Each structure stands twice: as C-alpha cells, then as structure tokens.
Amino acid sequence: MNIGGIELKNNVILAPMAGVADLPFRIVCHRLGAGLSYTEMVSAKALEFNNQKTFRLMETEALPTAVQLFGHEPETVARAVPLAEKMGLFVDINMGCPAPKITGNGEGCALMRDPVLAGEIIAAAVEAATKPVTVKMRAGWDMEHINAPLLAETAQKNGAAAVTVHGRTRSQFYSGSSDPKVIKAVRERVTVPLIANGDVDGAEAALSLMEETGADGVMIGRGSQGRPWIFGEVAAAVRGEASPRLSRREKMEIAIGHIELIVRFKGERVGILEARKHAAWYIRGVQGAAALREEINRAVTLEKMREILKKAIDED
Ligand SMILES: Cc1cc2nc3c(=O)[nH]c(=O)nc-3n(C[C@H](O)[C@H](O)[C@H](O)COP(=O)(O)O)c2cc1C
C-alpha cells in the first residue's frame, strides 16, 4: 500500500486512540507487524502554542507514523502541519471524534456537518504540507445524515492522499456495529487509498471487511488492545499465509516487554499507573483474570507487574 508516495510494508494499520496509541504501544504494534500507526489526536492549536505535553504525544521511533490533528480553523491546522512534519510524521485530520468537548468546538465529527469548511481545512493542510495528508471520518453525523461518500470525495478533491472511514455515525458513538455498506459507498466515490475501520477483531473480520468494501487497507483500534500481535496475524492473512499462533507464554512476554517500554519512556511511577490498563487487557480471558486484575490495580512497581504477568502464564 502506498499513501501519497509513502510505501507501507503492509496495509494493516493501528488506529489513533487517545490514551492508548502512545509511543510504547506504537513501537510494539510496529514490531509485531503494523504497516502504519496513527498517534492519538493532538490539538492543532496546542501545537501552535508550543505545548510541550502535546509535542510529547507526537514523539516517534516507529515509522511510518501519522499524527492526527484536530482543529476547526484552516489557518491553525495549516500552521501545525510543518511542526508535525519536522518530527518525521505526516498528518491526518480528525473528522470522526464524537466527544462533545470536541464536537462542541466544531471539531472532530462536527466537521462532517460542514463539508465546505472541512474541504477548506484539508486544502489548507495540503497546501502547507510536503508529505501526504490523510483524513479520518465516520459514516456521518447520524442515520439521517450519512455523508461519508460526499466528504471523502471532498477530501480527495482538496488533495487528501487517503481516507479512513469508521462505519458508525457520531450519534452511535461506539454502540451498534460499524456498517461496511457506507465504506463500500465511499469506495465508489474515491480513487485514493481507502482504509476501512470498525470492529476488526482478527484476520477473518479484516479480510471480509476489505472484500466487502473494496478498501485497500484496514485500521484496527480496540481489537489491538492487549492483542498487538493482531497486526501480524492480519498481515499474514492478507498475504494469503496462515496466521502465526503465539503461545500464552509468548503473549505474556510481549506484555512484559511492552510494560518495560512504558516505564523506560515515562519512568516507573507514571509508567506503571499507565500500564495498568494495558496489563488488564493482556490478561483478558486468562483463568483467574479477576483476581489478577485486582493485583494489577494495586501494582506500583515494574517488578510487581512482571510477577503478575508471569503468574498469568502459569494460570493458563
Ligand atoms: C480509547 C479510544 C480512543 C480513541 N481515540 C481516537 C482519536 O484520538 N482519534 C480518532 O480519530 N479516533 C479515535 N478513536 C476511534 C478509533 O480510531 C476507531 O475509529 C474506532 O475505535 C473504531 O475502530 P475499532 O472498532 O477497530 O476500535 C478512539 C477509540 C478508542 C476506543
């Protein structure tokens, strides 16, 4: 898959996820097979104000990576683009976030209600960019306003190099299911690479979503939480090979490596607090998970986390 001249090793992509898709998680997902990752959404305005916390969200060692910007003013987004590119990233524009604190400012999915402004933002970003600019959207605002095909066409006309579509509306948030028919309708309107997103939880779901929609790639969010090996499994299936099957021990070793990385980047105190949710995801489905989860939520050291995850190997 090639996005505006950037050649990816495959078409299986880590979704932007606030509070999840940080640098350690992106590194782990790339190592295990993701062809591209997106940072969590970052405020274009905060970059302009040189907010160091925001810049840290964009740090990367795992390339290729796109930074996802949100904003509602073409000039602000345009000014953020070179700052992101200087860090080795290319830019995606968020037109899908359903959170009221974002849509209330006319940002995220609210832009689907204003395709003219959405087009101006994309055009301004493309004009400011030397690398490709991509756009991520939902199916529409609500069931009465499904306009992803129109918005995707607008994005392409204004120079977007790829579009990602999550087949839920804003009013669904994360309920119901993602509708592949909307993604297929987008396919009929654009020729740029199309990335299908929503409810992919394994190789089978990924292949059928691509087949049903005609999309060029798949993006995986929740299905990768505590299961970053999903990228290797899906990538193998896309190549027509059997998916690698990891043992419980191999999975827990990945979990421990991930938590060690979190601690390396964030220090032990903050790192272990942030690692708790990942550790709880990793032990889902293991026998005795409830008791292990309680231990995870009390853990304050890396040593303790290692001990709990090693126990999860033996519990199975
Ligand atoms: C915890 C979490 C945080 C998310 N943050 C973002 C975000 O910052 N930007 C964005 O475009 N989508 C965000 N999303 C949406 C995902 O990128 C994706 O579109 C959605 O979860 C559907 O894909 P999935 O079924 O594979 O999870 C987030 C989703 C989750 C679960």
Side-chain angles (χ1 to χ4, degrees):
M1 187 172 180
N2 186 300
I3 296 184
I6 296 179
E7 187 63 35
L8 311 183
K9 69 178 175 189
N10 64 45
N11 54 358
V12 191
I13 298 165
L14 170 64
M17 280 186 285
V20 180
D22 59 1
L23 176 57
F25 190 60
R26 283 185 271 115
I27 290 176
V28 171
C29 293
H30 274 255
R31 277 188 195 152
L32 291 169
L36 170 67
S37 64
Y38 283 80
T39 70
E40 65 180 80
M41 61 179 184
V42 160
S43 158
K45 198 159 228 145
L47 289 185
E48 197 177 23
F49 287 114
N50 204 17
N51 180 318
Q52 288 309 304
K53 212 169 138 199
T54 306
F55 274 97
R56 275 200 298 279
L57 296 174
M58 296 163 54
E59 284 173 350
T60 198
E61 287 178 12
L63 293 171
T65 299
V67 56
Q68 193 192 54
L69 298 179
F70 68 93
H72 67 281
E73 296 159 342
E75 323 78 65
T76 309
V77 174
R79 281 194 293 267
V81 171
L83 302 175
E85 288 192 347
K86 229 192 277 171
M87 296 181 73
L89 306 156
F90 66 95
V91 166
D92 179 77
I93 302 173
N94 182 323
M95 300 201 174
C97 181
K101 70 170 195 263
I102 301 291
T103 58
N105 282 339
E107 298 168 335
C109 202
L111 288 167
M112 295 196 77
R113 306 175 90 180
D114 192 346
V116 173
L117 177 60
E120 287 168 6
I121 291 173
I122 297 162
V126 169
E127 172 73 26
T130 61
K131 294 181 178 170
V133 171
T134 62
V135 177
K136 180 168 179 279
M137 63 188 75
R138 285 191 171 230
W141 182 258
D142 58 26
M143 288 302 179
E144 286 69 52
H145 302 89
I146 303 275
N147 64 347
L150 167 78
L151 194 74
E153 200 172 43
T154 304
Q156 174 169 294
K157 257 194 217 137
N158 285 288
V163 292
T164 303
V165 183
H166 171 200
R168 281 188 179 78
T169 63
R170 188 267 175 180
S171 59
Q172 284 180 292
F173 283 82
Y174 292 92
S175 68
S177 49
S178 177
D179 181 3
K181 288 195 292 297
V182 180
I183 305 174
K184 183 166 192 273
V186 170
R187 169 77 302 166
E188 283 154 16
R189 297 277 279 273
V190 298
T191 53
V192 290
L194 169 64
I195 301 161
N197 171 235
D199 303 342
V200 172
D201 59 2
E204 208 179 300
L207 291 185
S208 65
L209 181 61
M210 277 196 284
E211 161 127 19
E212 218 175 315
T213 58
D216 303 284
V218 277
M219 176 181 276
I220 305 174
R222 292 165 298 169
S224 67
Q225 293 173 346
R227 296 167 65 217
W229 44 83
I230 193 172
F231 295 100
E233 291 176 359
V234 174
V238 168
R239 291 193 304 270
E241 296 167 10
S243 288
R245 287 264 158 250
L246 300 184
S247 65
R248 167 70 58 197
R249 176 174 299 278
E250 287 168 318
K251 289 177 179 174
M252 289 304 137
E253 277 163 7
I254 289 169
I256 291 169
H258 178 187
I259 290 167
E260 288 170 348
L261 260 188
I262 298 176
V263 168
R264 200 176 96 206
F265 285 112
K266 306 192 182 187
E268 189 167 45
R269 199 181 60 80
V270 174
I272 291 299
L273 289 180
E274 290 193 13
R276 286 178 181 174
K277 63 173 177 269
H278 291 282
W281 285 327
Y282 280 112
I283 57 137
R284 264 185 318 211
V286 169
Q287 275 213 1
L292 290 172
R293 209 161 32 244
E294 279 182 27
E295 284 194 59
I296 286 168
N297 286 332
R298 286 195 303 269
V300 288
T301 65
L302 177 58
E303 203 36 55
K304 184 68 190 171
M305 276 294 189
R306 281 200 193 105
E307 184 193 310
I308 299 167
L309 290 166
K310 282 187 181 146
K311 236 192 276 179
I313 304 175
D314 303 331
E315 295 278 346
D316 220 37

